[in-house]
Amino acid sequence: MKGKIIQPPYLKEGDKVALISPAYWVPEGAILQAAEVIRSWGLQPVIGPHTTSLNVDAYAGTADERAADLQWALEDDSIKAIFCSRGGYGSIHLLDRIPLEDYRQHPKWLIGHGDITTLLYTIAGTGLMGIHGPMAFQIAGGQEPATTMLRNILFGTIPQYKIAGNAYNRCGHAEGILVGGNLSSYVTITGTKYHRLPSQDIILFVEEVEESLHAIDRLFYTLRLQLDFERVKGIIFGTFSSIKFDLQFGSVEQMLIAHLHDMEIPICCGFPVGSNSCLPLIEGAPCSLDVTPEKALLSFNIGGTERHYDIEKEHPQLMR
C-alpha cells in the first residue's frame, strides 16, 4: 500500500447503496428482507443485476457476472456503499477481473466478512478502508447488535470496543493498521500480488469457522511464513466456531499462542468477531489495541463521533 489511507465518506439519508453477491448464492427473499432493513435506515438499496443468479448450484452467477456486479457498484458514483449478501466461497474469482485502481478511484464502503476477506484485504492493500461486518443475510435475520453498530459506523459513529479479559491474553499496547479476517480466506492471497501490506505497522485479526485444529494450525503457520510478522504489533483472535478438535489442545487460542512464543506483543483473545457474532471492524483503519489482565480496548483513530461499547456489560451474550 502506498500513499495516503483513504476513508470513504460516511453516508447520509437518501444515499443509494448496492446489494451484490460476490461469492455464494443467497435466496431472493433474504436479499429483499435486507433491502427493507437498509431502507428503514433512510437509504436507497439497489440490487445488482446478478445478485440472485445461481451458477453450478453454489455461486451467485458466473465469475464474470459477479465481477460485473462489483465493478458496476464500484464505478457508479451514485452508489455510496456496497453490501455483500454472504460469503462461502468465490470472492477470489473476482480479484483478477477488477483493476486495483478502481477501488481508490471510487472510494466507498464495502461490507462483508468470511470469504469477503479476500476483497476487504485487497481493498486495504490499495489504501482504502472497508468494513468487516454483517452481510445481507445476517441483516435480514436481525443479527444484533452487529447490524445496529454497522449502521452507526456508516453514518459516522465509530465504535470503541471494550471486552472482558481472557486467560490467554498477553498485555501491552499496540498501534497499527487493522488487517485480517477469515483465516483460510486471508492465507489464500498471502504472498500474491493482491497481498500488499501497508507500509505502516499492522494489527492483525483472524477468525475461523468449521475447520479442524489441524487445519487452523497449518493455516496460521503458513501465515507466519508468508506474512512480514515484524510489522505485526498486536493480534486479535476472534471467534472460532464449529471447530473439530483433532489435536490435544484445550482451545484454538492455546494452540495459536504456542506459535507466538517468540513475539512480545499484545494479544487479545475471544474478541466477538466471526460468523456468529460479527462486531463490525474497520479494515485498513489506523487503530490502537490495549490489553490488560482485566480488559482489552480497541479504538479506531479516524474521523467521526466515538461511541464506547462495553461489550461485557451491554451485550454479555457475545462473551459466552
Side-chain angles (χ1 to χ4, degrees):
M1 182 182 74
K2 297 180 180 180
K4 180 182 178 182
I5 297 173
I6 298 176
Q7 177 180 329
Y10 294 125
L11 305 188
K12 61 182 184 302
E13 190 170 343
D15 279 347
K16 289 183 181 179
V17 298
L19 279 162
I20 64 168
S21 299
Y24 273 2
W25 172 83
V26 174
E28 184 178 16
I31 299 294
L32 295 177
Q33 281 183 278
E36 282 303 307
V37 173
I38 293 168
R39 192 173 290 112
S40 74
W41 298 353
L43 302 172
Q44 298 183 52
V46 183
I47 298 173
H50 304 101
T51 300
T52 57
S53 298
L54 180 61
N55 175 250
V56 296
D57 203 32
Y59 304 119
T62 65
D64 285 339
E65 288 171 339
R66 287 178 278 128
D69 279 7
L70 176 56
Q71 195 148 20
W72 155 74
L74 283 172
E75 295 181 352
D76 185 338
D77 290 333
S78 72
I79 299 293
K80 304 303 181 183
I82 304 170
F83 291 79
C84 297
S85 67
R86 68 158 294 180
Y89 176 71
S91 298
I92 195 170
H93 300 154
L94 279 57
L95 296 188
D96 61 356
R97 289 173 164 84
I98 307 291
L100 288 173
E101 58 269 19
D102 276 15
Y103 298 111
R104 282 182 70 91
Q105 289 174 358
H106 305 276
K108 57 191 70 177
W109 297 106
L110 184 137
I111 305 116
H113 69 274
D115 186 67
I116 307 301
T117 292
T118 57
L119 297 177
L120 288 170
Y121 187 75
T122 298
I123 289 172
T126 69
L128 179 65
M129 298 180 199
I131 300 177
H132 182 280
M135 294 180 283
F137 83 97
Q138 293 161 319
I139 293 171
Q143 187 182 90
E144 292 292 357
T147 295
T148 295
M149 291 178 179
L150 170 61
R151 180 196 64 194
N152 290 346
I153 291 174
L154 290 172
F155 283 94
T157 299
I158 305 306
Q160 182 192 65
Y161 294 123
K162 174 185 174 184
I163 69 167
N166 185 290
Y168 293 110
N169 280 0
R170 287 187 185 172
C171 299
H173 169 81
E175 297 183 8
I177 306 300
L178 187 70
V179 296
N182 176 261
L183 181 59
S184 55
S185 299
Y186 187 85
V187 170
T188 299
I189 61 170
T190 304
T192 73
K193 66 179 180 179
Y194 299 101
H195 182 255
R196 305 195 299 178
L197 273 176
S199 58
Q200 302 95 324
D201 294 335
I202 66 173
I203 292 177
L204 173 70
F205 75 99
V206 295
E207 55 85 16
E208 192 52 88
V209 60
E210 295 180 351
E211 291 284 0
S212 67
L213 284 185
H214 178 269
I216 293 172
D217 182 89
R218 182 182 66 249
L219 288 166
F220 194 77
Y221 203 83
T222 301
L223 188 62
R224 280 222 61 177
L225 292 172
Q226 294 183 337
L227 186 65
D228 181 4
F229 256 72
E230 289 186 2
R231 293 188 188 175
V232 177
K233 302 304 179 182
I235 296 178
I236 297 170
F237 288 130
T239 60
F240 297 90
S241 52
S242 302
I243 301 302
K244 178 183 178 183
F245 279 75
D246 57 350
L247 295 174
Q248 293 302 308
F249 287 98
S251 68
V252 177
E253 292 83 357
Q254 182 188 30
M255 180 181 71
L256 294 181
I257 289 289
H259 286 307
L260 300 166
H261 64 90
D262 58 326
M263 298 188 70
E264 296 182 359
I265 59 173
I267 299 175
C268 169
C269 296
F271 194 95
V273 58
S275 62
N276 297 328
S277 52
C278 196
L279 293 189
L281 299 178
I282 305 173
E283 185 122 8
C287 66
S288 302
L289 175 66
D290 290 278
V291 183
T292 70
E294 296 79 24
K295 66 181 184 298
L297 195 67
L298 178 65
S299 306
F300 296 96
N301 305 319
I302 63 175
T305 302
E306 192 170 69
R307 163 70 158 88
H308 299 264
Y309 292 101
D310 186 331
I311 301 302
E312 185 179 30
K313 181 178 179 181
E314 298 180 49
H315 307 287
Q317 72 280 7
L318 299 183
M319 301 304 298
R320 292 171 187 166

